[in-house]
Amino acid sequence: MLEQLTRQMKRGDERAFASFHQAWFDRLFRYHMALASGNETMAKDAMQETLLRVVRYVKVFKDETVFWCWLTRLAKSSIADQCRQQGRFQRLRSRLLARDTTPDVPDEDGLLAALERGLGELREDDRKLIEGKYFEGRSVRDLAQEKGLTEKAVESRLGRIRGKIKNEIETKQL
């Protein structure tokens, strides 16, 4: 009976796999729970991996004892993989939590002073463009008409200027 079942499974017969599942699942899951020391999540994940390995690597077995030994070997391997994966996750989590993730934010006066220095480093026409947009509240369309540029060109220039100011502030704050 086992020989026929495993032969059909090897050929990819879904009904044979369903029969295998019905006959062996409970016993195999209890074995996973024992290996996982009662950790149900780990046991379920490892069980899933074990079943995938059964589908991929099944061979014809005549003896139930040998078949069970093969299944337990797959289960042990799946649990070991789960433990390694969980260990890597915990180590990564610990490293991330150990990092100081609070950014150094200067006080408001420091930021204003850095902004002033950044604006002072700009070329005259760039500074006027920034001041027109952000201090005077003028539209991009108005600025584009005044400069004889397209709106897209003004937006691009504003983006580059903001980047320069940001870099200036960051380098002065470090």
Side-chain angles (χ1 to χ4, degrees):
M1 168 108 171
L2 179 66
E3 183 178 358
Q4 180 183 4
L5 178 70
T6 53
R7 189 179 311 278
Q8 290 171 337
M9 287 171 58
K10 186 169 177 68
R11 282 185 286 184
D13 186 337
E14 288 183 34
R15 283 183 281 166
F17 185 75
S19 295
F20 157 77
H21 191 273
Q22 184 176 5
W24 293 89
F25 182 86
D26 290 339
R27 181 178 177 192
L28 192 54
F29 185 69
R30 284 192 304 273
Y31 188 76
H32 279 85
M33 283 293 288
L35 290 175
S37 301
N39 182 334
E40 189 174 354
T41 302
M42 181 184 284
K44 285 180 179 179
D45 289 344
M47 180 70 174
Q48 197 66 14
E49 182 60 34
T50 299
L51 293 175
L52 287 172
R53 290 174 184 184
V54 167
V55 169
R56 285 185 194 128
Y57 306 114
V58 69
K59 50 190 172 192
V60 178
F61 289 93
K62 295 179 183 179
D63 182 74
E64 281 193 20
T65 305
V66 175
F67 184 57
W68 176 248
C69 288
W70 181 70
L71 290 175
T72 59
R73 175 57 49 205
L74 294 178
K76 288 176 186 175
S77 176
S78 296
I79 287 287
D81 289 348
Q82 286 293 313
C83 289
R84 274 192 299 278
Q85 185 178 15
Q86 211 170 47
R88 283 192 300 265
F89 173 75
Q90 292 300 330
R91 286 189 301 275
L92 175 63
R93 183 173 179 260
S94 296
R95 283 196 313 263
L96 290 175
L97 290 175
R99 288 185 183 166
D100 181 18
T101 58
T102 56
D104 293 330
V105 179
D107 60 3
E108 191 174 324
D109 292 334
L111 270 177
L112 288 174
L115 178 59
E116 287 294 326
R117 283 193 306 272
L119 288 171
E121 298 289 323
L122 294 176
R123 295 186 332 220
E124 181 71 24
D125 56 331
D126 288 346
R127 192 175 72 258
K128 284 186 179 181
L129 196 60
I130 286 287
E131 288 172 349
K133 173 70 178 152
Y134 297 105
F135 297 132
E136 298 168 13
R138 297 177 56 201
S139 70
V140 171
R141 175 174 284 158
D142 289 342
L143 294 170
Q145 287 174 350
E146 179 184 303
K147 301 283 184 188
L149 300 169
T150 65
E151 291 179 37
K152 184 71 177 165
V154 170
E155 283 290 347
S156 294
R157 244 175 103 182
L158 285 170
R160 284 192 301 275
I161 297 166
R162 286 190 304 265
K164 286 179 187 178
I165 294 172
K166 178 183 174 201
N167 286 336
E168 184 67 29
I169 290 173
E170 287 175 346
T171 55
K172 298 296 183 189
Q173 292 299 315
L174 297 175

